[in-house]
Coordinates of all heavy atoms in Angstrom, one line a residue:
T15 N 1.2 -20.0 11.6 CA 2.2 -19.0 11.3 C 2.3 -18.9 9.7 O 2.3 -17.8 9.2 CB 3.6 -19.6 11.6 OG1 3.7 -19.7 13.2 CG2 4.7 -18.6 11.3
L16 N 2.1 -20.0 9.0 CA 2.2 -19.9 7.6 C 1.0 -19.2 7.0 O 1.1 -18.4 6.1 CB 2.2 -21.4 6.9 CG 3.4 -22.2 7.1 CD1 3.3 -23.6 6.5 CD2 4.5 -21.5 6.2
E17 N -0.2 -19.3 7.6 CA -1.5 -18.6 7.1 C -1.2 -17.1 7.4 O -1.6 -16.3 6.6 CB -2.6 -19.2 7.9 CG -3.0 -20.6 7.4 CD -4.2 -21.1 8.2 OE1 -4.6 -20.4 9.1 OE2 -4.6 -22.3 7.9
A18 N -0.7 -16.8 8.6 CA -0.5 -15.4 8.9 C 0.5 -14.9 8.0 O 0.4 -13.6 7.5 CB 0.1 -15.2 10.3
Q19 N 1.6 -15.5 7.6 CA 2.6 -15.1 6.7 C 2.0 -14.8 5.3 O 2.3 -13.8 4.7 CB 3.7 -16.1 6.6 CG 5.0 -15.6 5.7 CD 6.0 -16.7 5.6 OE1 5.6 -18.0 5.7 NE2 7.1 -16.2 5.4
Q20 N 1.3 -15.8 4.8 CA 0.6 -15.6 3.5 C -0.4 -14.4 3.4 O -0.4 -13.6 2.6 CB -0.3 -16.9 3.1 CG 0.7 -18.0 2.8 CD -0.1 -19.3 2.6 OE1 -1.3 -19.4 2.9 NE2 0.7 -20.4 2.3
Q21 N -1.1 -14.1 4.7 CA -2.0 -13.0 4.8 C -1.1 -11.7 4.6 O -1.5 -10.8 4.0 CB -2.9 -13.1 6.0 CG -3.8 -12.0 6.1 CD -4.6 -12.1 7.3 OE1 -4.5 -13.1 8.1 NE2 -5.4 -11.0 7.7
R22 N -0.1 -11.6 5.4 CA 0.8 -10.5 5.4 C 1.3 -10.2 4.1 O 1.2 -9.0 3.7 CB 1.9 -10.6 6.4 CG 2.9 -9.5 6.5 CD 2.4 -8.4 7.3 NE 2.1 -8.8 8.7 CZ 3.0 -9.1 9.7 NH1 4.3 -9.1 9.3 NH2 2.6 -9.4 10.8
F23 N 1.9 -11.2 3.3 CA 2.4 -11.0 1.9 C 1.2 -10.5 1.0 O 1.5 -9.7 0.2 CB 3.1 -12.3 1.6 CG 4.3 -12.6 2.2 CD1 4.8 -11.8 3.2 CD2 5.1 -13.8 1.8 CE1 6.0 -12.2 3.9 CE2 6.3 -14.1 2.5 CZ 6.6 -13.2 3.5
Q24 N 0.1 -11.1 1.2 CA -1.0 -10.7 0.3 C -1.4 -9.2 0.6 O -1.6 -8.5 -0.4 CB -2.3 -11.6 0.7 CG -3.5 -11.2 -0.2 CD -3.2 -11.4 -1.8 OE1 -2.3 -12.1 -2.2 NE2 -3.9 -10.8 -2.6
E25 N -1.3 -8.8 1.8 CA -1.6 -7.5 2.2 C -0.6 -6.4 1.6 O -1.0 -5.5 1.0 CB -1.6 -7.2 3.7 CG -2.7 -7.8 4.4 CD -2.5 -7.8 6.0 OE1 -1.4 -7.3 6.4 OE2 -3.5 -8.1 6.6
I26 N 0.8 -6.9 1.5 CA 1.7 -6.1 1.0 C 1.5 -5.9 -0.5 O 1.8 -4.9 -1.1 CB 3.1 -6.6 1.3 CG1 3.4 -6.5 2.8 CG2 4.3 -5.9 0.5 CD1 4.7 -7.2 3.2
R27 N 1.0 -7.0 -1.2 CA 0.8 -7.0 -2.7 C -0.2 -6.0 -3.0 O -0.4 -5.4 -4.0 CB 0.6 -8.4 -3.1 CG 1.8 -9.2 -3.1 CD 1.6 -10.7 -3.8 NE 2.8 -11.6 -3.6 CZ 2.8 -12.5 -2.6 NH1 1.8 -12.6 -1.7 NH2 3.9 -13.3 -2.6
L28 N -1.4 -6.1 -2.1 CA -2.4 -5.1 -2.3 C -2.0 -3.7 -2.1 O -2.4 -2.9 -2.9 CB -3.6 -5.5 -1.3 CG -4.4 -6.8 -1.5 CD1 -5.3 -7.3 -0.4 CD2 -5.1 -6.8 -2.9
L29 N -1.1 -3.5 -1.1 CA -0.7 -2.2 -0.9 C 0.2 -1.7 -2.2 O 0.0 -0.4 -2.5 CB 0.4 -2.2 0.2 CG -0.2 -2.4 1.6 CD1 0.9 -2.2 2.7 CD2 -1.4 -1.6 2.0
T30 N 0.8 -2.5 -2.8 CA 1.6 -2.1 -4.1 C 0.6 -1.7 -5.1 O 0.7 -0.7 -5.8 CB 2.2 -3.4 -4.6 OG1 3.2 -3.8 -3.6 CG2 3.1 -3.1 -5.8
M31 N -0.5 -2.4 -5.3 CA -1.6 -2.0 -6.2 C -2.2 -0.7 -5.9 O -2.4 0.1 -6.7 CB -2.7 -3.2 -6.3 CG -2.2 -4.4 -6.9 SD -3.4 -5.7 -6.8 CE -4.8 -4.9 -7.7
K32 N -2.5 -0.4 -4.6 CA -3.0 0.9 -4.2 C -2.1 2.0 -4.5 O -2.5 3.2 -4.9 CB -3.4 0.7 -2.7 CG -4.7 -0.1 -2.5 CD -4.9 -0.2 -1.0 CE -6.1 -1.1 -0.7 NZ -6.5 -1.0 0.7
L33 N -0.9 1.7 -4.1 CA 0.3 2.8 -4.5 C 0.3 3.1 -6.0 O 0.4 4.3 -6.4 CB 1.6 2.3 -4.2 CG 1.9 2.2 -2.5 CD1 3.1 1.5 -2.3 CD2 1.9 3.7 -1.9
F34 N 0.2 2.2 -6.8 CA 0.2 2.4 -8.2 C -1.0 3.3 -8.7 O -1.0 4.1 -9.5 CB 0.2 1.0 -9.1 CG 1.5 0.5 -9.3 CD1 1.9 -0.8 -9.0 CD2 2.5 1.3 -10.0 CE1 3.1 -1.2 -9.2 CE2 3.8 0.8 -10.2 CZ 4.0 -0.5 -9.9
E35 N -2.2 3.0 -8.0 CA -3.5 3.7 -8.3 C -3.3 5.2 -8.0 O -3.7 6.0 -8.7 CB -4.6 3.0 -7.6 CG -5.0 1.8 -8.1 CD -6.0 0.9 -7.1 OE1 -6.5 1.7 -6.3 OE2 -6.5 -0.1 -7.5
T36 N -2.6 5.4 -6.8 CA -2.4 6.8 -6.3 C -1.5 7.6 -7.3 O -1.7 8.8 -7.6 CB -1.9 7.1 -4.9 OG1 -0.6 6.4 -4.9 CG2 -2.9 6.2 -4.0
S37 N -0.6 6.8 -7.9 CA 0.4 7.5 -8.7 C -0.1 8.0 -10.0 O 0.4 8.8 -10.8 CB 1.6 6.6 -9.1 OG 1.2 5.5 -9.9
L38 N -1.3 7.4 -10.4 CA -2.1 7.9 -11.7 C -3.0 9.1 -11.4 O -3.6 9.6 -12.4 CB -2.8 6.7 -12.2 CG -1.9 5.4 -12.6 CD1 -2.8 4.3 -13.0 CD2 -1.0 5.8 -13.6
Q39 N -3.2 9.4 -10.1 CA -4.2 10.4 -9.8 C -3.4 11.7 -9.9 O -2.2 11.8 -9.6 CB -4.7 10.2 -8.4 CG -5.6 8.9 -8.3 CD -6.1 8.5 -7.0 OE1 -6.0 9.5 -6.0 NE2 -6.6 7.4 -6.7
V40 N -4.2 12.8 -10.1 CA -3.7 14.1 -10.1 C -3.6 14.6 -8.6 O -4.6 14.7 -7.9 CB -4.5 15.1 -10.9 CG1 -3.9 16.5 -10.8 CG2 -4.5 14.6 -12.3
M41 N -2.3 14.9 -8.1 CA -2.3 15.4 -6.7 C -0.8 16.0 -6.5 O 0.1 15.8 -7.5 CB -2.4 14.3 -5.7 CG -1.5 13.1 -5.9 SD -1.8 11.8 -4.6 CE -3.2 11.1 -5.1
T42 N -0.8 16.9 -5.5 CA 0.4 17.4 -5.2 C 1.5 16.4 -4.6 O 1.1 15.3 -4.2 CB 0.3 18.8 -4.3 OG1 -0.1 18.2 -3.0 CG2 -0.7 19.6 -4.9
I43 N 2.8 16.9 -4.5 CA 3.7 15.9 -3.8 C 3.3 15.7 -2.4 O 3.4 14.6 -1.8 CB 5.2 16.6 -3.9 CG1 6.2 15.7 -3.2 CG2 5.2 18.0 -3.2 CD1 6.4 14.3 -3.7
H44 N 2.8 16.9 -1.6 CA 2.4 16.6 -0.3 C 1.1 15.6 -0.1 O 1.2 14.8 0.7 CB 2.0 18.0 0.4 CG 3.3 18.8 0.7 ND1 4.1 18.6 1.7 CD2 3.8 19.9 0.0 CE1 5.0 19.4 1.8 NE2 4.9 20.3 0.7
Q45 N 0.2 15.8 -1.1 CA -0.8 14.8 -1.2 C -0.4 13.4 -1.4 O -1.0 12.5 -0.8 CB -1.9 15.3 -2.1 CG -2.7 16.6 -1.7 CD -3.5 17.1 -3.0 OE1 -3.2 16.9 -4.2 NE2 -4.6 17.8 -2.6
Q46 N 0.5 13.3 -2.2 CA 1.0 12.0 -2.5 C 1.8 11.4 -1.3 O 1.5 10.1 -1.0 CB 2.1 12.0 -3.6 CG 2.7 10.7 -4.1 CD 1.6 9.7 -4.6 OE1 1.3 9.8 -5.9 NE2 1.2 8.7 -4.0
L47 N 2.6 12.1 -0.6 CA 3.2 11.6 0.6 C 2.2 11.2 1.8 O 2.4 10.1 2.4 CB 4.1 12.7 1.1 CG 5.3 13.0 0.2 CD1 6.1 14.2 0.8 CD2 6.2 11.9 -0.1
N48 N 1.2 11.9 1.8 CA 0.2 11.6 2.8 C -0.6 10.3 2.4 O -0.9 9.4 3.2 CB -0.7 12.8 3.1 CG -0.2 13.9 4.0 OD1 0.0 13.5 5.2 ND2 0.2 14.9 3.5
A49 N -0.8 10.2 1.1 CA -1.6 9.0 0.6 C -0.6 7.8 0.8 O -1.2 6.6 1.2 CB -1.8 9.1 -0.9
I50 N 0.6 7.9 0.6 CA 1.6 6.7 0.8 C 1.6 6.3 2.3 O 1.5 5.2 2.5 CB 3.0 7.2 0.3 CG1 3.0 7.3 -1.2 CG2 3.9 6.1 0.9 CD1 4.3 7.9 -1.6
L51 N 1.6 7.4 3.2 CA 1.7 7.0 4.5 C 0.3 6.2 5.0 O 0.4 5.2 5.8 CB 1.7 8.2 5.4 CG 3.0 8.8 5.8 CD1 2.9 10.0 6.8 CD2 3.8 7.6 6.5
N52 N -0.8 6.7 4.6 CA -2.1 6.1 4.9 C -2.1 4.6 4.3 O -2.6 3.8 4.9 CB -3.3 6.8 4.3 CG -3.5 8.1 5.2 OD1 -3.9 7.9 6.3 ND2 -3.3 9.3 4.7
I53 N -1.7 4.5 3.1 CA -1.6 3.1 2.6 C -0.7 2.1 3.3 O -1.1 1.0 3.7 CB -1.3 3.1 1.1 CG1 -2.4 3.9 0.2 CG2 -1.0 1.8 0.5 CD1 -2.0 4.3 -1.2
I54 N 0.6 2.6 3.5 CA 1.6 1.6 4.1 C 1.1 1.3 5.6 O 1.4 0.2 5.9 CB 2.9 2.5 4.2 CG1 3.6 2.5 2.7 CG2 4.0 1.7 5.0 CD1 3.7 1.2 2.0
N55 N 0.6 2.2 6.3 CA 0.2 1.9 7.7 C -1.0 0.9 7.8 O -1.3 0.4 8.9 CB -0.2 3.3 8.4 CG 1.0 4.0 8.9 OD1 1.5 3.5 10.0 ND2 1.6 5.0 8.3
A56 N -1.5 0.4 6.8 CA -2.5 -0.6 6.8 C -1.9 -2.0 7.4 O -2.6 -2.8 7.9 CB -3.1 -0.9 5.5
I57 N -0.6 -2.1 7.3 CA -0.1 -3.3 7.7 C 0.5 -3.1 9.2 O 1.2 -4.1 9.7 CB 1.1 -3.7 6.8 CG1 2.3 -2.8 6.8 CG2 0.6 -4.2 5.5 CD1 3.5 -3.3 5.9

């Protein structure tokens, strides 16, 4: 359980980094929303 929890928390931290990366890219609001959905659904 502890290992699974650590893995989940690490996944969430990685998602945070990916979200920051998309925020620096040039894209429309609709592209950004779709990018967020694809990233979040990784968990």
